[in-house]
Amino acid sequence: MKSVLVFSWIYGVLGSPLTAGQSSALAKTTLLNPLSSANNSDIAESTSVTLTSIVSHLDQADALTTPQSPESALSAIQNIISKGSPSIYDVGRGIAEAGLLPSDVISVLDGYLDSAIHSLTNQNTASVQNIYPKAAGDAPYSVPEDTLRAAIHIPDSFSFGRGRAPVILVPGTGIPAGMTFHFNFAKLGDSIPIDAVWVNLPRASLSDAQVNTEYIAYTINYIATLCGDRVAVLSWSQGGLNTQWALKYWPPTRAVVKDFIAISPGFHGTLVRSLVCPSLDLVLCTPSLWQQGWETEYIHTLRSDGGDSAYVPTTTVYSTFDEIVQPMSGPNASAILGDERRVGVTNVHLQSACTTMPAGGVYTHEGAYNPLAWALAIDASLHDGPADLSRVNLAQVCQQVLAPALDMKDLFGTEGLLLVAVAELVLYKPHALGEPPIVDYAS
């Protein structure tokens, strides 16, 4: 059964490999039980029913008609999004119902079972001076240096800046970095001469975002010093907030970041946090999800004193149909950054750039396979400053549905990662009753 395979993979990735029987039990029992203690029984029951439905449809997936083309896959996603305002659980159920998972899920996801991809204990032994405990002007770190360094995954093929530009991949909420980018931007080096590393944040970035940022700031300084070159940072979701916070409170990072490319960021927070945290304080909310609400103390602090403008050349890419961050269109779109420092900012709304064309279609928060997002990431990486739409062949790119470097398995794999986020959210403990206090250095 596909549910057994998927959840076996999920929990294997999280460090506890399971047999098929144990996986099935987690999928149908452990995954649902935490909700039974919620104070709001109606919400707990509703969410449990949704998760049970996801598992049920995964079990039936072999009998479902799996989309055979990117166009049919996007049509299936459009059907999911068109049903009102779906929560993360509704979207997960829709993905299962539509067969938007690889049929050979175990072979496709087998690479994830290599613990190094998602490890928090990497052996990065290269000696780098003048980074820790902090450079002049840096905010203080609360996490030990050995812990920060061990979270950085440097692939064996990494060239340390010799002929290939270093790019740091920063994950979002609920999905470990190695998993987040495996089906999409980790493959960017196949198209242009870049080398990607990523940082695996503890507890899938669900804990205090202010602590998450320490890992990003340290990684930027470490990789830049190690390579003797400036780095690019490519983030997804919460990774955009973490990177902007790092650039604000660790100012030396600005001198070594060549480009900041943010996919589906929520720099204003989101008005639909309840779609991820049913009943907020009563069921599933975590510290970083509290922080990402619209104009929380965390968001207010980030955006104050010029934090609503870019610190380095920045490219943002966002979609109207983002089911996690809203609003994502118009002048108040959460992804937009200003440019008061005149460093160069390109804010790209997919549906405006590719109006009525396939690449401007229904792309969700997970749409890291969008062809225009890829074209912009490539353009920013190959030029000084942010991406420039005038350098992109929009007539060609906007007619595509899937980035040329990717295939259907990558599309399915990227959308299917939402099920990992569901599992991480349900299993996260203790649930947070509010956002963490603002750290002293930012108060």
Side-chain angles (χ1 to χ4, degrees):
M1 294 186 296
K2 190 171 287 190
S3 67
V4 173
L5 300 179
V6 169
F7 284 99
S8 177
W9 158 58
I10 288 172
Y11 289 96
V13 167
L14 295 178
S16 302
L18 303 173
T19 66
Q22 290 171 321
S23 172
S24 182
L26 275 169
K28 299 180 178 179
T29 306
T30 307
L31 183 60
L32 308 179
N33 281 344
L35 299 171
S36 64
S37 62
N39 294 327
N40 190 322
S41 58
D42 291 338
I43 291 176
E45 180 179 358
S46 174
T47 308
S48 293
V49 168
T50 299
L51 292 173
T52 301
S53 178
I54 291 173
V55 172
S56 173
H57 285 289
L58 286 170
D59 282 343
Q60 300 168 20
D62 290 339
L64 297 172
T65 301
T66 300
Q68 298 300 306
S69 69
E71 291 78 9
S72 59
L74 264 291
S75 177
I77 293 170
Q78 181 173 357
N79 289 336
I80 297 169
I81 298 299
S82 67
K83 299 174 182 177
S85 298
S87 72
I88 186 174
Y89 310 101
D90 297 326
V91 175
R93 177 174 58 189
I95 286 171
E97 290 174 346
L100 291 170
L101 287 172
S103 58
D104 55 344
V105 65
I106 285 300
S107 62
V108 171
L109 299 173
D110 185 57
Y112 286 160
L113 301 180
D114 175 4
S115 62
I117 291 177
H118 55 87
S119 176
L120 293 169
T121 57
N122 295 290
Q123 299 299 312
N124 297 318
T125 58
S127 177
V128 174
Q129 302 299 319
N130 302 321
I131 286 182
Y132 197 90
K134 64 174 187 165
D138 272 350
Y141 291 92
S142 64
V143 180
E145 179 175 17
D146 288 348
T147 302
L148 294 172
R149 187 176 296 191
I152 305 169
H153 177 80
I154 303 177
D156 292 339
S157 60
F158 192 65
S159 67
F160 296 92
R162 293 187 289 272
R164 299 180 72 85
V167 176
I168 298 168
L169 302 179
V170 181
T173 309
I175 307 172
M179 302 166 72
T180 297
F181 297 108
H182 178 78
F183 288 112
N184 43 75
F185 284 109
K187 301 183 178 185
L188 193 60
D190 295 338
S191 301
I192 55 175
I194 63 99
D195 259 346
V197 304
W198 54 86
V199 54
N200 290 310
L201 298 177
R203 310 210 55 190
S205 303
L206 290 169
S207 298
D208 188 348
Q210 298 167 111
V211 177
N212 293 341
T213 292
E214 296 184 27
Y215 289 83
I216 310 310
Y218 182 83
T219 300
I220 289 171
N221 284 327
Y222 182 78
I223 296 298
T225 305
L226 196 62
C227 295
D229 193 7
R230 293 190 299 162
V231 303
V233 178
L234 191 153
S235 69
W236 174 70
S237 188
Q238 184 199 144
L241 293 169
N242 291 341
T243 301
Q244 183 73 353
W245 189 282
L247 293 167
K248 179 175 183 177
Y249 292 109
W250 280 262
T253 59
R254 303 173 199 174
V256 297
V257 174
K258 171 185 176 289
D259 286 297
F260 173 25
I261 303 161
I263 310 298
S264 304
F267 295 119
H268 295 256
T270 177
L271 289 170
V272 294
R273 181 179 46 178
S274 61
L275 298 181
V276 180
C277 300
S279 186
L280 296 179
D281 55 329
L282 298 181
V283 183
L284 291 177
C285 225
T286 76
S288 71
L289 286 172
W290 270 106
Q291 290 165 314
Q292 291 175 77
W294 188 264
E295 292 295 350
T296 58
E297 283 299 312
Y298 171 79
I299 294 295
H300 174 77
T301 302
L302 173 66
R303 296 179 58 79
S304 65
D305 301 322
D308 56 351
S309 279
Y311 294 98
V312 298
T314 299
T315 304
T316 74
V317 184
Y318 58 102
S319 170
T320 293
F321 302 100
D322 192 312
E323 80 281 19
I324 304 297
V325 179
Q326 283 291 330
M328 278 300 216
S329 60
N332 295 318
S334 187
I336 291 176
L337 280 182
D339 192 19
E340 69 174 35
R341 298 175 184 84
R342 300 188 181 278
V343 294
V345 175
T346 301
N347 296 301
V348 180
H349 176 234
L350 293 176
Q351 286 72 34
S352 296
C354 292
T355 305
T356 72
M357 290 185 280
V362 180
Y363 288 86
T364 64
H365 192 68
E366 305 81 56
Y369 47 80
N370 177 275
L372 182 55
W374 269 69
L376 293 166
I378 289 172
D379 183 76
S381 299
L382 294 178
H383 298 88
D384 291 334
D388 186 340
L389 278 172
S390 70
R391 291 192 297 252
V392 176
N393 185 345
L394 292 177
Q396 179 185 54
V397 172
C398 288
Q399 289 299 330
Q400 300 166 349
V401 174
L402 182 65
L406 306 179
D407 58 25
M408 287 292 289
K409 288 181 179 179
D410 296 316
L411 190 158
F412 289 159
T414 300
E415 286 294 340
L417 292 177
L418 193 66
L419 299 181
V420 179
V422 169
E424 290 273 12
L425 279 166
V426 172
L427 294 174
Y428 186 94
K429 291 183 180 181
H431 299 149
L433 301 180
E435 66 172 305
I438 298 299
V439 291
D440 290 342
Y441 65 76
S443 300

